[in-house]
Amino acid sequence: MRGGIFEILWQALRGGIYLALYVLLISGSDFVLFDLAWCFVYLGFLLFLPIGTPIVVQLLLGFGVGISLDMVFDTGGVHAAAAVLVMYLRPWVLRLLTPRDGYDAQDSVNIHQMGWQWMVVYLTLLTAIHHVAFFVLELGSFRAPGLMLAKILLSTLYTGLTLLIIQLVFFPTRRRKR
């Protein structure tokens, strides 16, 4: 992380906004499409963390966000397990998608800095991993593979598009200088 108390406070405020948005607004039945697609907007907080965030901090944040949602929705650790898995795999996905010149120390996950293709692949991979873990744990078996696959695909598309819109609307448009 870039460091500094203001950066830490900003990230904490951002995390609180994502959680409050999900718990108070989006988790209701009004935002579920056809009883198959859920929008897990809280993933935005985890996926849009600065690239330099240490792995231990990422794992703790994933667990904290996940267990908070599990306590609110009484889901028995499903959110925590899926969020920790995503945060564990995030460094590998970032390494897989490393630009030719590498990342700068101050880079953040931002569509305006990284570009459309990078962001779409990044969001698709990590959102799909989260949703596979979440829905496999939620359903508890592979007895309904069609339903599980539909939930995974439609929720990945729904969450990914929502996070892309959030990136376009709320993240700064300044580009890095190279």
Side-chain angles (χ1 to χ4, degrees), residues 110-126:
N110 185 323
I111 193 169
H112 304 294
Q113 288 181 356
M114 301 300 182
W116 275 92
Q117 291 176 333
W118 187 95
M119 184 60 73
V120 168
V121 171
Y122 174 79
L123 284 177
T124 302
L125 282 173
L126 289 174

Side-chain angles (χ1 to χ4, degrees), residues 7-178:
E7 179 69 21
I8 293 169
L9 290 174
W10 168 245
Q11 294 299 331
L13 176 66
R14 203 172 61 84
I17 291 169
Y18 274 105
L19 283 173
L21 181 67
Y22 180 72
V23 170
L24 298 174
L25 183 66
I26 294 181
S27 65
S29 62
D30 293 340
F31 285 92
V32 176
L33 299 178
F34 309 111
D35 211 25
L36 287 174
W38 282 262
C39 182
F40 295 104
V41 74
Y42 69 87
L43 279 176
F45 169 63
L46 299 173
L47 298 181
F48 301 152
L49 284 171
I51 291 175
T53 305
I55 184 69
V56 172
V57 173
Q58 291 182 49
L59 292 171
L60 290 172
L61 286 172
F63 181 74
V65 167
I67 203 70
S68 299
L69 292 172
D70 287 328
M71 286 190 285
V72 169
F73 297 117
D74 195 25
T75 51
V78 176
H79 286 281
V84 169
L85 177 65
V86 165
M87 296 316 291
Y88 179 74
L89 294 176
R90 182 178 182 251
W92 276 288
V93 171
L94 286 171
R95 252 182 262 134
L96 176 73
L97 299 175
T98 301
R100 188 178 26 199
D101 347 347
Y103 298 114
D104 288 337
Q106 69 273 12
D107 275 349
S108 63
V109 176
N110 185 323
I111 193 169
H112 304 294
Q113 288 181 356
M114 301 300 182
W116 275 92
Q117 291 176 333
W118 187 95
M119 184 60 73
V120 168
V121 171
Y122 174 79
L123 284 177
T124 302
L125 282 173
L126 289 174
T127 305
I129 289 168
H130 175 273
H131 290 7
V132 167
F134 182 86
F135 289 115
V136 165
L137 291 170
E138 180 197 42
L139 293 175
S141 73
F142 292 101
R143 280 187 253 172
L147 175 65
M148 186 173 22
L149 188 59
K151 283 183 175 185
I152 291 167
L153 291 175
L154 293 174
S155 294
T156 299
L157 182 64
Y158 188 20
T159 303
L161 285 173
T162 303
L163 293 178
L164 275 175
I165 291 169
I166 288 171
Q167 276 278 321
L168 290 170
V169 172
F170 294 109
F171 279 68
T173 58
R174 67 177 186 270
R175 296 179 87 58
R176 64 181 169 192
K177 295 174 184 150
R178 288 199 176 211

